[in-house]
Amino acid sequence: LLFCGAQSFTLQTAHTITATPKLAATNHAWQIHSPTNSFPRRPTSVYSKMAEDAKVGSKSKKVVTPEKIAGRKKRLKTVYKLVIAKTGILSAVIYAKCSNPFYTMGFVLAGGVSYILLGAAVNNRLSSDTYKRLNLGLFTYGLFALFAGNFMKFPKIWSAACIITMINSIKGYGYGLKGWELKPTCAKEDFLNGIKSNTKTLLKIPNLNSAGYLAGTITLATLLFTKCREIINAIQSSTDTYMMGESLFRLSIFYILTLIMFTLKDASDRNRLEGTTFIELNAMTSVSFAAWALEGYRNTGFVPLHAGASVFFSILSGFNALSSTLKKKA
């Protein structure tokens, strides 16, 4: 009925305005565009496309194929292996030149952390707070090493290696946070929750091992902040850039070792020291403090900590690594 009414209205209007040439011409033009005097219709394909879009809407997501996930894992693991190889070669070269294990500790710790993260990537365990913390620690170590190498005029390949390490560490943290599919997750919220959780960990001492690791964490953090203040003073006084680089390398050692000690303290609070990751971290820590004790005994070069304190922390970590290994095998 509406359609017939529209046609009748159109015919009457055309008959009425024929006396006015301008209006008649306008009506004639309208009739040329709509010969049947009916409303124009959209093609069926347009409505089909609109219906399909409305059906999918905001629910459409990019599908992450198993092949793409496998590629992400492969690239992440490859860079971890490269970091392990790089730190191993540097440690061997430095030890061959100076015959002092103390100067290789930063590279040994970075390589050891990369080895642990490689195992976590293989076993899909990067989402644990432990491995997210270690990934962020490796990123910070790479950042310190980058600036240290630039101050000491290292070759450009050193800067490239540090940048690759940093990017891979952030990717490792991201995969731990969002999964291999990179699901939408708030990194800021995770970071703030991590700060709250770490603060609570620092404020509780449930067992004797926890007290020992807390003492080590506080001691190393004190060295860390002291070195930071030293670097700030050096910048203000325009100290030689080579010495600045050496200070940054020592700062990186303090930082990553502080992070490891805190991680062991957290594991001790949860009675998880028998895990493979924590056995390996204890072993690395024991070797590092043993090298520090040897440096303090020789009283040559840079002595970061008194020999007695270094021996104590070395024995604590070594004993827990050995006892946890024996318990695991029993």
Side-chain angles (χ1 to χ4, degrees):
L1 290 174
L2 291 173
F3 179 77
C4 293
Q7 278 189 327
S8 176
F9 175 78
T10 303
L11 292 173
Q12 290 176 4
T13 304
H15 177 74
T16 303
I17 63 175
T18 50
T20 308
K22 185 176 181 180
L23 292 177
T26 304
N27 183 60
H28 178 68
W30 181 86
Q31 287 181 344
I32 292 175
H33 288 289
S34 302
T36 60
N37 292 332
S38 61
F39 295 103
R41 297 184 179 183
R42 294 182 180 179
T44 306
S45 59
V46 176
Y47 288 105
S48 301
K49 184 68 171 60
M50 292 172 62
E52 184 179 351
D53 292 343
K55 184 178 180 181
V56 177
S58 60
K59 296 182 180 180
S60 60
K61 295 181 180 179
K62 189 175 181 180
V63 178
V64 182
T65 62
E67 292 79 10
K68 193 165 187 176
I69 292 176
R72 290 172 178 174
K73 286 184 179 180
K74 184 178 180 180
R75 289 189 293 271
L76 190 73
K77 292 187 292 184
T78 299
V79 178
Y80 281 139
K81 291 176 182 178
L82 290 175
V83 175
I84 295 169
K86 179 193 75 172
T87 53
I89 292 171
L90 288 172
S91 299
V93 170
I94 293 173
Y95 184 77
K97 285 188 175 182
C98 64
S99 299
N100 191 337
F102 170 76
Y103 295 105
T104 67
M105 281 302 100
F107 300 120
V108 170
L109 291 171
V113 169
S114 298
Y115 176 79
I116 290 171
L117 290 172
L118 173 62
V122 171
N123 296 299
N124 296 319
R125 285 155 47 194
L126 290 174
S127 59
S128 169
D129 289 341
T130 296
Y131 302 111
K132 287 192 286 187
R133 186 186 300 128
L134 291 177
N135 263 313
L136 292 177
L138 189 61
F139 167 83
T140 308
Y141 176 85
L143 181 64
F144 289 150
L146 173 65
F147 284 108
N150 288 335
F151 281 129
M152 300 176 76
K153 309 301 181 183
F154 282 9
K156 291 183 179 180
I157 190 172
W158 172 266
S159 299
C162 291
I163 291 172
I164 291 172
T165 300
M166 292 163 59
I167 293 174
N168 200 62
S169 300
I170 289 298
K171 289 173 66 177
Y173 171 80
Y175 291 137
L177 178 65
K178 300 184 176 184
W180 297 109
E181 300 84 2
L182 295 180
K183 300 175 183 177
T185 310
C186 180
K188 180 182 178 181
E189 183 179 351
D190 180 75
F191 188 73
L192 293 176
N193 290 336
I195 292 176
K196 294 178 183 178
S197 175
N198 293 342
T199 304
K200 292 179 181 178
T201 301
L202 285 172
L203 297 177
K204 63 180 181 180
I205 308 176
N207 53 59
L208 191 59
N209 277 329
S210 178
Y213 288 124
L214 179 60
T217 302
I218 294 174
T219 302
L220 290 166
T222 303
L223 294 174
L224 178 67
F225 287 116
T226 302
K227 183 58 65 176
C228 286
R229 186 176 61 182
E230 178 185 319
I231 291 174
I232 293 172
N233 293 334
I235 293 173
Q236 293 175 348
S237 59
S238 301
T239 306
D240 180 64
T241 56
Y242 191 88
M243 295 180 62
M244 284 283 298
E246 288 184 338
S247 296
L248 281 170
F249 267 125
R250 291 165 186 164
L251 179 67
S252 67
I253 296 174
F254 294 157
Y255 175 79
I256 197 167
L257 197 51
T258 303
L259 187 72
I260 291 173
M261 285 294 283
F262 177 79
T263 301
L264 290 170
K265 197 254 184 230
D266 179 53
S268 177
D269 293 351
R270 297 181 288 116
N271 295 318
R272 293 288 307 277
L273 289 177
E274 295 178 15
T276 303
T277 293
F278 306 112
I279 292 175
E280 293 168 346
L281 288 175
N282 263 318
M284 288 191 298
T285 305
S286 180
V287 171
S288 299
F289 279 115
W292 285 22
L294 180 62
E295 186 72 6
Y297 176 76
R298 290 177 176 177
N299 198 22
T300 57
F302 172 72
V303 184
L305 196 61
H306 191 273
S310 298
V311 169
F312 170 76
F313 292 128
S314 178
I315 292 174
L316 172 68
S317 303
F319 175 79
N320 284 326
L322 181 60
S323 61
S324 297
T325 302
L326 294 176
K327 288 179 183 178
K328 195 172 183 179
K329 290 183 177 181

